[in-house]
Every structure is written in C-alpha cells, then in structure tokens.
Amino acid sequence: NGTALRSEVPTPSMCEGSSDLRGLGRHEFAWHFAAGIALWSFLEYVLHRFVFHLVVDTTPAWITVHFLMHGLHHKFPLDRTRLVFPPLPAAILASIIYGVILLVVPFRSAPAIIAGGTLGYVCYDLMHYYLHHGATTSRLPYVRALQRAHTSHHYVNPTSDFGISSKVWDTAFGTLHGPKPSADS
C-alpha cells in the first residue's frame, strides 16, 4: 500500500497522492516521475555550468553574490558545511523551477514531475556530499569515476565536468574532462 514509503519520502509521496486525485494512473505517474528525475539531471548540469560558473560582471556586488552562491564551495571544497546551496537562494530557485513546471506541463502531471525532480535533487545532494567525503573508498567504478571527474572540476579545470551525479550531460555537451586551462586564461 506504500504507507511506509510515504512516511520516509514525504514530498514525492504527497505529489503521488495529488496526482492520484487528478486522475493520473500509476504507470503514467511512474513515467512522469522518471521525467522529473531526468529534468533534475539536466537542470543540475545547466545550473552548475551556466549559473554557478557564470561571470557576468566584475563589480564587487556581483563577485560577492557569486562567491556566496558557489565560489565559497570551490574555495573550500572539503568543508562539510558548504556543500549545499544556501537555503534562501535555493528556495527562490526551487520556487521559480516549480512555477515554470506548473505553467508548462498539464496540471495533472505537474506533481509527479515535481516529485521526480525533488527526488533527483535529494540524490544529487547526497551524491555530492559522498563525492567530497567518501567516494575514494567506493567499490563501484562509476562512483569512483564521478569522484575523479568532480575532483578534476575543483582542482584541475573548473570549465569541465559540471555533472555531479551523472556524466550524461558532460558527455552530450563535450565538457567531460575538458582541456586544462592555459596559463593566460
């Protein structure tokens, strides 16, 4: 009946219940949920590459905002307290993403997509923490490869390896293990 799962994963479970009320069957829910996970994977790459590594302006205000959003994490990548996006900007960004989803997908599908995206985000967050603080001991070759790529992103070339929980989008967009920056860049 799913009661145990619902108590452990409140957001996706609440969205599943909401989808049931909107007439979305279990198979349809599963497909929309999977689409939400895929959407998060894509957003993870796009946000990391084009927002967190964006250099728009060199004014002190922009440099400060950027440093607080993501630069601090690059400056201190092994600091266990600086791995998650700060709560206020995260809430604003999540509200924007959820608002866009509610505007562009059918009303009955939105909760399932949002639930999948939320689970994708939680998995990303857990993976990101693990890549910084435990993946070197992983017995899984794929996880060790993710850890090497993420370490490369931090210490060798911040213009490549933007995917944290997957290498799919780095492979698709040619940013997997990119060239090392030149001395004059």
Side-chain angles (χ1 to χ4, degrees), residues 53-75:
H53 285 271
L54 178 69
V55 179
V56 175
D57 196 342
T58 56
T59 62
W62 172 252
I63 290 170
T64 300
V65 167
H66 181 267
F67 183 74
L68 292 174
M69 279 183 19
H70 191 65
L72 198 56
H73 171 60
H74 270 266
K75 182 120 175 108

Side-chain angles (χ1 to χ4, degrees), residues 7 18 47 53 66 68 105 113-114 117 122 125 141 161-162 169-170 177-178 180:
S7 65
S18 179
L47 290 170
H53 285 271
H66 181 267
L68 292 174
V105 301
I113 292 169
I114 290 169
V122 169
D125 234 355
D161 299 305
F162 296 101
W169 303 110
D170 280 307
H177 307 305
K180 293 181 181 175

Side-chain angles (χ1 to χ4, degrees), residues 22 95-111 113-114:
R22 294 179 184 167
S95 297
I96 292 168
I97 292 168
Y98 287 2
V100 169
I101 290 170
L102 291 170
L103 287 173
V104 300
V105 301
F107 181 68
R108 68 190 211 114
S109 303
I113 292 169
I114 290 169

Side-chain angles (χ1 to χ4, degrees), residues 77-94:
L78 297 178
D79 184 340
R80 294 176 188 264
T81 65
R82 293 187 184 357
L83 288 177
V84 181
F85 198 47
L88 181 60
I92 293 167
L93 189 58

Side-chain angles (χ1 to χ4, degrees), residues 5-173:
L5 177 63
R6 288 179 188 211
S7 65
E8 294 172 21
V9 188
T11 303
S13 296
M14 287 186 289
C15 290
E16 180 191 8
S18 179
S19 294
D20 285 344
L21 293 175
R22 294 179 184 167
L24 198 62
R26 294 228 179 258
H27 289 98
E28 246 184 319
F29 176 84
W31 282 108
H32 287 83
F33 189 84
I37 292 171
L39 175 63
W40 168 255
S41 173
F42 181 68
L43 284 173
E44 170 193 316
Y45 175 86
V46 168
L47 290 170
H48 191 194
R49 180 176 180 185
F50 296 110
V51 176
F52 299 155
H53 285 271
L54 178 69
V55 179
V56 175
D57 196 342
T58 56
T59 62
W62 172 252
I63 290 170
T64 300
V65 167
H66 181 267
F67 183 74
L68 292 174
M69 279 183 19
H70 191 65
L72 198 56
H73 171 60
H74 270 266
K75 182 120 175 108
F76 304 104
L78 297 178
D79 184 340
R80 294 176 188 264
T81 65
R82 293 187 184 357
L83 288 177
V84 181
F85 198 47
L88 181 60
I92 293 167
L93 189 58
S95 297
I96 292 168
I97 292 168
Y98 287 2
V100 169
I101 290 170
L102 291 170
L103 287 173
V104 300
V105 301
F107 181 68
R108 68 190 211 114
S109 303
I113 292 169
I114 290 169
T118 301
L119 181 64
Y121 172 77
V122 169
C123 291
Y124 145 80
D125 234 355
L126 293 170
M127 178 61 79
H128 192 203
Y129 188 86
Y130 186 65
L131 293 178
H132 279 271
H133 301 290
T136 55
T137 61
S138 176
R139 294 182 185 166
L140 302 172
Y142 185 72
V143 173
R144 285 195 314 272
L146 285 174
Q147 195 269 341
R148 282 191 302 274
H150 194 60
T151 298
S152 173
H153 172 75
H154 274 280
Y155 297 105
V156 178
N157 186 2
T159 65
S160 69
D161 299 305
F162 296 101
I164 284 87
S165 59
S166 169
K167 297 190 285 184
V168 169
W169 303 110
D170 280 307
T171 301
F173 296 115

